[in-house]
Amino acid sequence: MKAIRRFTVRTVLPEQLQPLHELALNLRWSWHPETRELFRSVDPEVWSAVGEDPVRLLGEVPAARLAALATDRRFLRRLGDLSDELRDYLAGPRWYQGAPSPGDGSGPLPAAIAYFSPEYGIAAALPQYSGGLGILAGDHLKAASDLGVPLVGVGLFYRHGYFRQSLSRDGWQQERYPLLDPDELAVSLLREPDGTPCRVDLALPAGRTLVAQIWKAQVGRVPLLLLDSDIEPNTAAEREVTDRLYGGGSEHRLLQEMLLGIGGVRAVRTYGRLTGHPAPEVFHTNEGHAGFLGVERISELVGEGLDFAAALEAVRAGTLFTTHTPVPAGIDRFDRELVARHFSGDAALPGVPVDQVLALGAESWRGGDPKLFNMAAMGLRLAQRANGVSTLHGEVSRGMFSGLWPGFDAAEVPITSITNGVHAPTWIDPAVVRLAAGVLGQEQAEDAMAAGEARRWTGLERIGNSEIWELRRALRSQLVEEARRRLRASWHQRGAGDAELGWADSVLDPDVLTIGFARRVPSYKRLTLMLRDAVRLRSLLLHPTRPVQIVVAGKAHPADDGGKRLIQQLVRFADDPEIRHRIVFLPDYDMAMAKHLYPGCDVWLNNPLRPLEACGTSGMKAALNGCLNLSVLDGWWDEWYDGRNGWAIPTADGISATLDPESPEAERRDDIESAALYDLIEHQVAARFYDRAADGLPHAWIAMVRHTLVTLGPKVLAGRMVREYVERLYAPAALAQRELAGSGYLGARSLAAWKARIREGWPAVRVEHVETEGLAEAQELGSTLTLRVQVSLGALEPGDVDVQVVSGRVDESDAISDAVALALKPAGGPDLDGRHRYEGSLELCRTGPFGYTVRVLPSHHLLASPAELGLAALPAETAGMDTGVLR
């Protein structure tokens, strides 16, 4: 029989144990080992049964056990110490409170930053994530908390989360969506002073209204606001808006993103009104899903008396957009008519005409689709600062979005990069921390994991080879035990009985080289590249003296049948009785599984199509535990691989990553790269792992593990990442926002008026004549050319522009690479024809084919980049111009 109604009966804690409730509701327990150990000691069996979730633990532990703990002086002393320690953590100054003021020191760091993301991976006990984007967002919040950065997180509360994965008997992915009860989670409802739940409303077409309540999760020092539409004032359709992550059709997705962006801003304002939390000076959009937050903020400012153009400038100054996708297919795009319907008539935002909304998301570049509304384009147009998530991804993003900045080479597109990092206290196994603390001291080890300020983890060099090897075997054994447990549970779900599963107890071996592969399963990540030559893979798995074992996990999107087929292909291979003790697929990959998988593997495999991996942080988490990376040079590995911290899989870079995967060229590419992978595993990876000295230790392998910990450890930290965001993006954005908002938004009004004047007058801006003194077909290194340039500015003034000479190496088509720009100086007023003269010197500082050109750019001290307006005037290709190419 099924219950007709479900509700939660809470345990009433004895007064002496009330601090347990405070500890359980602050998700810091998820990365604080001492707090987790305290909860485990409450009742180890219940702790394990509830998935190490403190809220559920306190709801299910027997009353008699609580009564006993209430009189246990040792337990109460530990409880009191941890409660006091949490209060000190929440209130005491941290890195941010002592960080220097940005720039010239003229203003403080931002009073608050609002961080918007569609998903958050904080802990397995709060399943509001699907993959890397959510885990990154969770690590960002945790690191901000450790550093004292005044972040406010904003997201949606999904009643069904993402999905739980299981397999059918024939290996096909199956999904289920268990209902999440907020009363069983570490969240609390945000309430008005009279006790009623806080709500935000969004106007929808046809007079409908979308209403959401606000759950708050406390992530250390950082409040995370999660909007939930599953409440009674809504109709059934509106209640389902926050039903599940990345579910539903196009309109459902649009409503989710409107609620996240527009409703999220309103939730932040509500939270500030109720708590006195400072209003955010910077808004950070983690991917395009929350882009409508900028439209809502424009509406707010129009309500304060600004026109749309000035409001847009004020909003842009304080907004940061982070892109995570290296392919156009990963961007949300909606039918323009659908967006128009949701931003016009009775659904319109006050002061924001629908045509202005549509212009923000228009694919106005060559090759764009005029019928679609592009969320990434809107995010970039609404943010004065933008970044990719690795150096290579920044380069890819500048090329992918270059159409928004016509007239500029991709290298000058104003998208920088901050390489992602991972939250070490979450992902490092406690045994690794204990080993490090043995040589560094506990406090220094904890500081090193949080701050990310050191270039090297100096001191870890002193850890002995035998200690490292014993630790690695213990972690491998821990993974083997967990994999056997999960594999048996998976086969039970597939319909097998205990009598069929005797073999499961001997799956994997704690002394065999273990390779891990776990991630989402889109085609570009190539889950089945390892199966390309099944015969060769079998020989590696079953090698008589140097065997390899592989642990695989991953989820395909529920609508991605191609991804599901890849999983089925791998599962069927792994089901073969001859090799199933050497390769396993573990379903339902989540944070709980990951915490065993990363530490327990010796090698972390990543073989995406280069350059389609934006960052790939799973390899970072593995590296923090002494696991070596075996990866294509993509994402973070492209910039931090040094030849001693793992292996680089050679790639067929001459074959496009965007080819149809079934085309002959793509087949040849995969054949080449899989063969290179097998060669690396057999002749380098396995050979080094099994090359043992007389003492039984693989000293060369251990040296790579130690080098990884010492050199990669501090680089891959989320603490390093968040400090870079503060120093390079948050602080400059706050300064720009203050300058535009001061004196009644005088700066915003002035900048908007200047941009309008520049755009109107730009068609008349021309480079009329360029002459060069000292030019010859061959020049000597170090010689100098004198340039004289005449430009027409029309109605603009010399102070509105910057005239530059741009020089660098040229190819056979005279395209300039590695360009360097040098400003030319005005030389007198306009001549009789109104032309302005500029002069300057160009030093020839490199050998080989060399060239230059001249250009005119808009110039204003409030622009974050010379390319911001996408305007550039270049010389016409006329015979009157001196050639700018030297060979």
Side-chain angles (χ1 to χ4, degrees):
M1 291 183 293
K2 294 188 68 174
I4 62 172
R5 188 173 180 185
R6 174 193 174 102
F7 51 89
T8 298
V9 180
R10 287 189 178 276
T11 300
V12 178
L13 292 175
E15 182 178 354
Q16 299 91 329
L17 301 182
Q18 284 299 316
L20 281 173
H21 186 67
E22 177 187 4
L23 292 174
L25 283 182
N26 192 310
L27 286 156
R28 185 181 178 238
W29 60 257
S30 68
W31 73 89
H32 193 248
E34 291 84 357
T35 304
R36 291 202 305 274
E37 178 57 30
L38 177 77
F39 281 117
R40 191 199 68 80
S41 70
V42 168
D43 191 315
E45 290 186 8
V46 175
W47 176 245
S48 177
V50 299
E52 301 186 355
D53 180 346
V55 175
R56 292 181 58 198
L57 170 77
L58 297 182
E60 297 189 22
V61 68
R65 174 58 179 163
L66 292 176
L69 289 174
T71 61
D72 185 332
R73 286 184 293 178
R74 178 176 296 179
F75 181 86
L76 293 176
R77 187 163 51 250
R78 290 173 62 201
L79 175 59
D81 289 345
L82 286 170
S83 181
D84 290 343
E85 198 271 344
L86 176 61
R87 293 192 184 99
D88 289 343
Y89 173 86
L90 297 177
R94 305 191 72 79
W95 170 83
Y96 192 84
Q97 286 66 44
S101 296
D104 60 3
S106 59
L109 291 171
I113 301 110
Y115 181 92
F116 285 64
S117 178
E119 52 175 302
Y120 289 90
I122 308 295
L126 187 63
Q128 300 288 302
Y129 62 94
S130 70
L133 179 69
I135 300 299
L136 181 277
D139 282 5
H140 196 108
L141 264 57
K142 294 174 188 176
S145 173
D146 289 343
L147 294 170
V149 180
L151 218 65
V152 177
V154 182
L156 300 180
F157 181 81
Y158 304 97
R159 288 289 177 136
H160 295 279
Y162 190 41
F163 70 88
R164 303 297 301 273
Q165 178 196 47
S166 59
L167 300 173
S168 68
R169 187 75 186 207
D170 65 352
W172 188 256
Q173 173 180 291
Q174 298 179 317
E175 302 94 25
R176 55 191 173 89
Y177 293 87
L179 181 67
L180 300 177
D181 182 354
D183 288 334
E184 295 180 349
L185 302 175
V187 296
S188 58
L189 200 57
L190 200 61
R191 296 182 182 275
E192 297 288 352
D194 63 1
T196 59
C198 296
R199 290 178 177 174
V200 297
D201 298 352
L202 270 68
L204 299 181
R208 295 178 296 136
T209 302
L210 174 61
V211 184
Q213 62 187 5
I214 307 165
W215 295 98
K216 180 177 74 74
Q218 194 65 38
V219 186
R221 298 166 68 115
V222 175
L224 171 59
L225 309 178
L226 302 171
L227 284 83
D228 174 16
S229 70
D230 188 14
I231 54 178
E232 291 186 0
N234 288 324
T235 66
E238 278 76 53
R239 293 186 72 155
E240 292 178 355
V241 167
T242 56
D243 58 350
R244 60 187 62 173
L245 185 58
Y246 303 141
S250 182
E251 183 169 14
H252 183 273
R253 188 75 168 262
L254 176 63
L255 289 175
Q256 283 191 338
E257 301 193 356
M258 289 174 61
L259 181 60
L260 174 60
I262 299 170
V265 172
R266 296 174 184 178
V268 169
R269 304 304 188 207
T270 300
Y271 182 74
R273 170 175 59 82
L274 292 173
T275 65
H277 194 284
E281 295 184 271
V282 178
F283 284 76
H284 184 174
T285 308
N286 191 40
E287 253 309 337
H289 310 281
F292 289 118
L293 72 85
V295 182
E296 167 66 8
R297 292 174 59 219
I298 290 173
S299 180
E300 288 181 330
L301 293 176
V302 172
E304 295 179 21
L306 274 68
D307 61 22
F308 181 90
L312 172 60
E313 295 305 328
V315 165
R316 290 186 73 252
T319 302
L320 165 64
F321 175 75
T322 297
T323 175
H324 290 261
T325 179
V327 289
I331 297 169
D332 278 346
R333 302 158 83 204
F334 298 103
D335 185 276
R336 278 173 59 89
E337 293 303 315
L338 177 66
V339 176
R341 190 164 67 249
H342 284 79
F343 284 90
S344 59
D346 52 7
L349 284 174
V352 184
V354 64
D355 60 326
Q356 297 281 14
V357 176
L358 295 176
L360 290 170
E363 295 192 353
S364 54
W365 53 87
R366 183 181 302 174
D369 190 334
K371 296 180 180 179
L372 293 180
F373 183 94
N374 187 302
M375 293 296 290
M378 178 176 65
L380 289 164
R381 287 184 174 118
L382 284 169
Q384 195 177 41
R385 290 164 178 80
N387 71 288
V389 292
S390 69
T391 300
L392 179 59
H393 179 237
E395 179 183 330
V396 170
S397 298
R398 288 188 287 274
M400 186 167 71
F401 295 113
S402 60
L404 286 167
W405 290 272
F408 290 87
D409 292 340
E412 293 186 293
V413 167
I415 300 175
T416 185
S417 63
I418 291 180
T419 303
N420 281 344
V422 297
H423 186 245
T426 295
W427 300 109
I428 297 184
D429 191 274
V432 180
V433 177
R434 287 193 296 271
L435 183 63
V439 295
L440 301 179
Q442 185 67 34
E443 185 173 347
Q444 185 176 345
E446 291 176 358
D447 289 346
M449 289 192 297
E453 293 182 283
R455 292 190 175 185
R456 295 171 60 91
W457 277 350
T458 303
L460 296 186
E461 301 94 333
R462 300 196 299 270
I463 301 176
N465 283 2
S466 60
E467 293 174 282
I468 290 176
W469 191 240
E470 288 170 9
L471 171 68
R472 292 299 315 150
R473 188 186 189 282
L475 295 175
R476 201 181 309 117
S477 299
Q478 180 177 286
L479 171 60
V480 167
E481 182 179 344
E482 177 70 6
R484 290 173 179 173
R485 183 187 69 79
R486 286 179 176 268
L487 188 69
R488 180 176 285 275
S490 173
W491 273 100
H492 282 147
Q493 289 180 319
R494 296 173 71 181
D498 286 335
E500 303 175 67
L501 296 178
W503 58 273
D505 292 334
S506 58
V507 163
L508 305 182
D509 184 328
D511 291 308
V512 167
L513 171 63
T514 304
I515 298 175
F517 183 102
R519 49 193 36 89
R520 292 184 302 111
V521 190
S523 59
Y524 79 87
K525 291 182 183 284
R526 296 193 295 184
L527 169 71
T528 56
L529 186 70
M530 66 180 77
L531 304 183
R532 196 79 187 164
D533 184 341
V535 172
R536 188 158 185 196
L537 178 59
R538 282 173 176 267
S539 70
L540 293 173
L541 296 173
L542 302 175
H543 194 283
T545 58
R546 298 198 306 242
V548 170
Q549 58 193 14
I550 306 176
V551 182
V552 185
K555 292 180 176 180
H557 188 280
D560 182 10
D561 282 351
K564 293 180 183 180
R565 281 191 289 272
L566 295 177
I567 290 175
Q568 185 179 48
Q569 183 182 350
L570 192 137
V571 170
R572 287 177 170 175
F573 179 85
D575 283 351
D576 185 335
E578 290 187 7
I579 58 171
R580 64 190 179 188
H581 64 299
R582 287 284 186 258
I583 181 169
V584 297
F585 180 88
L586 304 180
D588 208 25
Y589 178 47
D590 66 358
M591 293 182 73
M593 181 193 295
K595 288 189 176 184
H596 290 91
L597 196 53
Y598 298 135
C601 291
D602 299 293
V603 173
W604 195 255
L605 175 62
N606 190 25
N607 47 231
L609 288 170
R610 188 179 190 272
L612 303 186
E613 182 80 276
C615 186
T617 54
S618 62
M620 295 178 170
K621 297 160 195 159
L624 283 173
N625 289 281
C627 177
L628 304 179
N629 276 267
L630 171 62
S631 176
V632 164
L633 287 175
D634 203 0
W636 74 277
W637 191 237
D638 181 71
E639 62 191 276
W640 288 337
Y641 165 68
D642 68 2
R644 298 168 59 198
N645 51 17
W647 295 269
I649 303 171
T651 51
D653 289 338
I655 303 176
S656 172
T658 59
L659 291 170
D660 178 348
E662 297 182 2
S663 68
E665 294 90 345
E667 292 279 336
R668 185 166 65 88
R669 177 197 59 214
D670 287 354
D671 284 340
I672 292 170
E673 296 184 8
S674 62
L677 172 62
Y678 299 135
D679 284 344
L680 274 173
I681 292 174
E682 180 177 4
H683 301 300
Q684 296 191 40
V685 180
R688 179 157 296 189
F689 182 86
Y690 289 106
D691 181 15
R692 309 294 167 86
D695 58 4
L697 300 179
H699 292 280
W701 183 278
I702 295 169
M704 293 180 71
V705 171
R706 183 184 290 105
H707 177 74
T708 293
L709 292 171
V710 170
T711 62
L712 268 186
K715 289 181 180 178
V716 302
L717 295 183
R720 183 269 313 156
M721 172 189 72
V722 171
R723 284 191 301 103
E724 286 194 39
Y725 273 106
V726 169
E727 295 164 353
R728 294 175 49 198
L729 296 172
Y730 292 164
L735 288 177
Q737 191 274 336
R738 291 169 195 156
E739 188 160 3
L740 266 63
S743 302
Y745 289 95
L746 180 62
R749 299 175 200 270
S750 174
L751 181 60
W754 178 83
K755 283 189 175 182
R757 183 166 60 83
I758 293 295
R759 290 189 176 104
E760 182 180 0
W762 200 256
V765 176
R766 294 187 301 276
V767 178
E768 298 281 8
H769 182 71
V770 179
E771 64 180 60
T772 312
E773 184 179 302
L775 182 64
E777 284 301 313
Q779 300 285 146
E780 292 184 0
L781 182 67
S783 61
T784 300
L785 305 180
T786 300
L787 279 72
R788 299 183 182 90
V789 181
Q790 288 181 324
V791 300
S792 292
L793 298 180
L796 303 184
E797 300 293 332
D800 293 326
V801 301
D802 187 17
V803 180
Q804 300 176 339
V805 56
V806 181
S807 63
R809 190 179 303 278
V810 292
D811 61 18
E812 293 180 355
S813 64
D814 293 340
I816 299 174
S817 61
D818 299 326
V820 176
L822 175 69
L824 300 176
K825 296 181 180 180
D831 62 18
L832 295 177
D833 296 321
R835 296 177 300 185
H836 295 261
R837 191 156 58 98
Y838 290 79
E839 295 181 351
S841 298
L842 174 62
E843 182 180 353
L844 305 181
C845 57
R846 65 173 69 189
T847 57
F850 186 86
Y852 69 88
T853 188
V854 174
R855 67 183 179 184
V856 185
L857 304 179
S859 177
H860 193 287
H861 75 282
L862 290 176
L863 297 182
S865 162
E868 187 168 313
L869 276 74
L871 299 175
L874 297 167
E877 294 183 4
T878 64
M881 297 289 177
D882 286 345
T883 178
V885 179
L886 309 175
R887 296 185 182 279

